Amino acid sequence: MSTPEIVLLGGSYSGKTHYAGQLYGRLLRNPGLLELRDTPADLSALEEVLHCLENGHAAGHTSVGTWTDVLLPLKDKRGHTLDLRWPDYGGEQLQTVFTERQVTENWRAQLRQAEGWLLLIRLRKETTYPDALAELAKRLDDGNGTTARAGAWDANARWVELLQMLLHVAGVGTVSRREQPRLAVLLSCYDEVTADDLLPEQVLAKHLPLVAAFIDSLWTPDARSIWGLSALGRLLEPTSDDENFIIQGPEHQGWVVTPDGQKDSDLSRPLAWLLEAE
Ligand SMILES: Nc1nc2c(ncn2[C@@H]2O[C@H](COP(=O)(O)OP(=O)(O)O)[C@@H](O)[C@H]2O)c(=O)[nH]1
Ligand SMILES: [Mg+2]
C-alpha cells in the first residue's frame, strides 16, 4: 500500500478545514472517484467538522497546532488503496514561513516528500494593487514614481515569493523542470467569485496574473491543474442554521469546477487528479 503525501498550502480562512469536513462527508455518504476503505482510523477531527455542518453551521477556526494529522484510508476506482495524509493546520504557519523566512524541520520534510501540493487560494481575500502594476508598465513622466503602499505586499508578489521559497526548500530547482511535485491550485470559496464563462485558470490569470504566469512557466502542463472549489456552496457562519445542510445533508452541498470548466459535485476530483487516480 502506498501512503501518498500531499502538502496542503493555504492561508488562514482559505477554507482548508471545511473542505476536509465536506470531503469526509462525501466519502462516507456520496462518494465519487475516491472512496473510503473500511479500515479503522481516527477521523474524529473530521467528524467534528461534519457534525457542525449537519447542524447547518460552520465549524470554528483551527488554531495553530490544534489539528493532529488525519490519515484518510482511501481506494480509487482501479482498486488501488492509498492512505492520504491530510495535513490541516492553522494557516498562520504559512504566513510565518513567509515573514520569517524559516521553515520548520517538519515542513521541510513534508515539502521534500510530497508527491503533490494542494494550493488553496481564496481570491476574495487576496489584496492586489492593479493600478500600481499598470503604472509600473508605464514611463514615469512626473518623476514621483508610483504611490507608495508601505509595507503592503501585493498578493501576486507574496504568492510568487512563497512558492519560490517552498520550491527551494523542497529541493526543486527553479531552473530545471525535473521532479516538480504535481500542483493542484484550488480557487476556494469559488461561489464568491464572478467567473462568468472563464475557466478557473483564466480566473486565476485575471485576478493574480503574476501567480498564473509563474505557475505556467515552472510547471509543465501535465503537472499542474487549476480548479474552482466551493466546498460549502455558500458562506456559513458558526451561527448559521442553513436548511439545505440540515435537511438535504452536507454531502449534497458544494461543488468543484474542473480545469475544463465542468461543474461537478465530486469534491474528491482534485485529489484524485493529484494522486493520478483519475
Ligand atoms: N462562501 C464560502 N465560504 C466558505 C466555503 N468554505 C468555507 N467557507 C467559510 O470560510 C471561512 C474559513 O473556512 P475554514 O475552512 O475554517 O478555513 P481555514 O482557516 O483555511 O481552515 C469559514 O467562515 C467558512 O464558513 C465555501 O465553499 N464558500
Ligand atoms: Mg482551519
Side-chain angles (χ1 to χ4, degrees):
M1 184 193 311
S2 63
T3 304
E5 301 269 346
I6 57 154
V7 196
L8 180 64
L9 302 166
S12 295
Y13 299 101
S14 58
K16 299 181 298 298
T17 299
H18 287 86
Y19 181 39
Q22 278 293 74
L23 196 60
Y24 179 59
R26 286 292 203 286
L27 291 169
L28 283 183
R29 299 176 202 148
N30 185 14
L33 285 173
L34 297 180
E35 293 174 39
L36 208 55
R37 286 199 324 277
D38 197 8
T39 310
D42 179 10
L43 302 173
S44 51
L46 297 176
E47 254 148 37
E48 258 174 61
V49 179
L50 187 58
H51 186 67
C52 292
L53 295 173
E54 281 164 349
N55 288 304
H57 61 84
H61 179 59
T62 328
S63 49
V64 189
T66 53
W67 184 284
T68 43
D69 259 8
V70 172
L71 207 61
L72 276 172
L74 301 175
K75 62 178 180 215
D76 68 16
K77 295 285 181 215
R78 300 169 300 178
H80 294 172
T81 57
L82 31 104
D83 287 335
L84 178 67
R85 191 183 300 281
W86 186 267
D88 203 342
Y89 54 87
E92 299 82 355
Q93 289 184 16
L94 199 62
Q95 185 59 22
T96 310
V97 170
F98 180 70
T99 51
E100 295 180 11
R101 295 281 182 282
Q102 274 186 15
V103 176
T104 61
E105 222 12 82
N106 185 19
W107 264 74
R108 185 188 314 278
Q110 283 191 32
L111 286 166
R112 284 180 178 259
Q113 277 164 24
E115 282 108 280
W117 291 6
L118 192 62
L119 176 61
L120 260 69
I121 301 181
R122 185 176 185 178
L123 290 173
R124 219 172 99 178
K125 291 238 170 254
E126 303 292 336
T127 311
T128 57
Y129 304 103
D131 299 352
L133 269 183
E135 276 173 49
L136 268 181
K138 280 193 269 170
R139 259 191 24 213
L140 299 173
D141 295 329
D142 57 8
N144 291 329
T146 51
T147 32
R149 289 172 177 84
W153 277 75
D154 183 289
N156 279 290
R158 193 168 42 77
W159 277 113
V160 169
E161 173 91 349
L162 190 57
L163 281 170
Q164 229 151 8
M165 284 171 61
L166 296 173
L167 284 167
H168 178 73
V169 170
V172 182
T174 40
V175 180
S176 87
R177 285 193 160 204
R178 280 178 305 118
E179 293 181 59
Q180 320 124 310
R182 278 163 83 80
L183 175 70
V185 179
L186 270 53
L187 303 177
S188 59
C189 305
Y190 209 56
D191 53 284
E192 297 174 335
V193 178
T194 316
D196 299 319
D197 287 331
L198 298 179
L199 297 174
E201 72 175 306
Q202 294 169 320
V203 171
L204 178 65
K206 188 174 141 200
H207 288 261
L208 297 175
L210 301 187
V211 179
F214 181 76
I215 289 172
D216 267 8
S217 65
L218 273 236
W219 271 269
T220 54
D222 59 343
R224 64 168 139 83
S225 67
I226 322 277
W227 306 68
L229 165 72
S230 176
L232 302 179
R234 69 191 65 101
L235 178 68
L236 289 188
E237 306 280 359
T239 51
S240 314
D241 54 6
D242 188 286
E243 286 202 349
N244 293 309
F245 276 78
I246 298 170
I247 296 168
Q248 295 162 13
E251 67 276 17
H252 296 294
Q253 315 301 321
W255 37 266
V256 295
V257 176
T258 63
D260 59 2
Q262 309 297 316
K263 204 166 174 175
D264 191 328
S265 66
D266 180 1
L267 297 180
S268 76
R269 279 194 69 172
L271 286 173
W273 177 84
L274 213 47
L275 302 170
E276 299 184 74
E278 238 193 347

